[in-house]
Amino acid sequence: MKVTEPITVNQLMLSNRILRSATMENMADDNGFVTDEFVRLYSAVAKGGAGLIVIGASAVEPRGRVWRHQLALWSDDVISSLNRIPAAIHENGHGKCAIQLHHGGTAGFGYSYGEAADSFDINTAPTSEIDVVITAFGKAAGRAAGAGFDAVAVHGAHGYLISQFLSPVINRRTDQWGGTPARRMRFAIEVCRAIRSEIKADMPLLWKMNCSDYADSSRDLGEHARVANALVEEGVDLIEVSGGIREQIKLRRQLKRSAGIREAYFSHAIKPFREAIGDKPLAVTGGLRSQRAIEETLASGADMVGVCRPIISEPDFPYKIFKPGGDNKARCISCNKCLLHIAEHPLKCVHFNQ
């Protein structure tokens, strides 16, 4: 399978197998509205050639915001500025776009190094508050559809709210929201249902999730795969595999060393996730920086590859690896300085743009 082959997700035709994985831009204004800087970023990314571009974590409610200049999706007021992003992407390239729905959850988890203004404690929240958050995800998806995005994505990984509910390390509830794998999964399923009720059946729903939490008493790979199976049964159209709930920079350094020339941090998850989700599209994100490794990952059973940091450094990275012959590589060295930078500053490649 070549990276340049088209693929259909639900009924959305994508021109190639590159999924520009979501990352926090920290470029919205103080109210969470789109800025000119935001539009310039995605105009450049669109010109780079990725088949599917996922906009970074966008908060579904104010208390779920982690970064000061995080994009807002909690009010209909944002739609008039939000539609500038898909318009810019569609105007500047052939790629399609999704926006990632996000909630930070309990402060102290995740790896944003951001400024959580508020917090939602999953272990003390009454069901009435949990229901409010579930509804917020659904309403945010409806706003994304109204703003002209081609698809909706969900951040269910990396120690944020959905991942917190799934994790036995974080979720200590003993009611219908925790205590067993099936009950810990309930929040994710209800979020999926809320989103599906607000968007059309032919609008793709993407879900980013961990294959491992890399934490003490972590669930095994099989349990994560069972979550993926349940999600596609409820209407998720593409699963994007990642991993980790804490200390992501330290973890990614370790994963890079372990992966070696294979590059893909989570290639071991391809087989169990493929068995779990059947013929639904599977994307693998993390560590991929070369044409050789990308095509090897696709040949191993992934349908798409998620790429983020190389595109931060070189927006035209997809076109770079589309060139036939040779082993085209990113200049990105996976130093992770960009992740530290977005705690308080707009997204950029720090290493090559001092």
Side-chain angles (χ1 to χ4, degrees):
M1 183 187 300
K2 294 293 185 182
V3 68
T4 51
E5 290 183 21
I7 181 174
T8 300
V9 180
N10 195 327
Q11 298 181 44
L12 183 67
M13 176 66 77
L14 306 177
S15 60
N16 59 68
R17 304 293 174 124
I18 296 291
L19 182 155
R20 189 277 193 175
S21 192
T23 189
M24 170 46 50
E25 306 87 359
N26 210 10
M27 290 179 177
D29 69 14
D30 289 340
N31 296 312
F33 283 59
V34 173
T35 61
D36 292 344
E37 185 178 26
F38 217 118
V39 174
R40 284 194 296 270
L41 169 67
Y42 281 105
S43 294
V45 171
K47 292 174 184 176
L52 179 60
I53 298 166
V54 186
I55 309 307
S58 303
V60 301
E61 64 168 15
R63 63 180 169 176
R65 183 170 50 179
V66 175
W67 297 266
R68 181 179 177 186
H69 292 115
Q70 185 171 2
L71 201 62
L73 271 176
W74 60 70
S75 167
D76 290 347
D77 294 340
V78 305
I79 296 175
S80 60
S81 80
L82 195 61
N83 60 19
R84 297 178 65 195
I85 302 173
I89 291 171
H90 294 150
E91 180 181 348
N92 286 281
H94 302 291
K96 305 300 183 181
C97 59
I99 188 167
Q100 188 183 66
L101 313 187
H102 174 268
H103 194 297
T106 303
F109 291 93
Y111 70 102
S112 63
Y113 302 93
E115 302 175 355
D118 205 343
S119 183
F120 180 90
D121 190 338
I122 70 164
N123 290 308
T124 60
T127 291
S128 59
E129 286 192 24
I130 293 173
D131 288 340
V132 167
V133 177
I134 291 169
T135 299
F137 271 96
K139 296 299 182 185
R143 294 181 189 110
F149 284 91
D150 302 298
V152 172
V154 173
H155 200 332
H158 298 167
Y160 296 116
L161 182 63
I162 295 173
S163 159
Q164 290 169 14
F165 269 99
L166 290 169
S167 171
V169 175
I170 306 171
N171 185 348
R172 300 186 300 276
R173 298 181 75 109
T174 57
D175 60 0
Q176 67 266 41
W177 303 103
T180 68
R183 294 202 295 262
R184 289 196 300 270
M185 194 191 305
R186 181 182 175 187
F187 181 77
I189 298 300
E190 293 298 335
V191 167
C192 179
R193 290 171 178 169
I195 292 170
R196 270 286 161 221
S197 72
E198 295 284 345
I199 62 176
K200 293 181 178 179
D202 62 354
M203 187 173 198
L205 174 56
L206 325 175
W207 202 284
K208 189 171 192 173
M209 63 175 293
N210 289 346
C211 64
S212 175
D213 292 344
Y214 295 96
D216 293 341
S217 303
S218 179
R219 298 161 294 149
D220 64 16
L221 183 56
E223 188 173 324
H224 288 82
R226 286 189 286 276
V227 174
N229 172 265
L231 288 169
V232 298
E233 290 291 327
E234 291 291 341
V236 169
D237 297 298
L238 178 147
I239 295 289
E240 180 188 358
V241 174
S242 188
I245 60 172
R246 293 187 191 175
E247 298 183 305
Q248 283 282 2
I249 291 177
K250 178 180 178 182
L251 171 63
R252 271 156 170 68
R253 287 172 182 158
Q254 295 170 346
L255 292 170
K256 182 182 177 182
R257 287 194 296 269
S258 298
I261 63 170
R262 189 180 69 251
E263 293 185 13
Y265 297 161
F266 309 112
S267 59
H268 63 283
I270 293 175
K271 186 174 185 230
F273 270 75
R274 169 57 64 215
E275 292 172 351
I277 69 173
D279 61 359
K280 291 286 187 179
L282 174 66
V284 178
T285 294
L288 291 160
R289 298 178 302 281
S290 72
Q291 182 182 42
R292 173 197 53 79
I294 285 171
E295 294 195 343
E296 286 176 357
T297 301
L298 292 171
S300 296
D303 299 294
M304 299 191 76
V305 291
V307 179
C308 182
R309 286 169 294 174
I311 295 177
I312 295 172
S313 185
E314 300 172 279
D316 64 347
F317 172 72
Y319 277 131
K320 184 176 182 179
I321 62 165
F322 294 162
K323 296 176 181 177
D327 183 18
N328 302 309
K329 298 178 181 179
R331 72 176 184 177
C332 174
I333 60 172
S334 298
C335 66
N336 294 304
K337 293 176 185 175
C338 53
L339 295 185
L340 288 169
H341 189 78
I342 59 170
E344 298 179 355
H345 306 284
L347 178 70
K348 77 170 187 176
C349 173
V350 178
H351 184 80
F352 290 102
N353 296 280
Q354 298 289 346

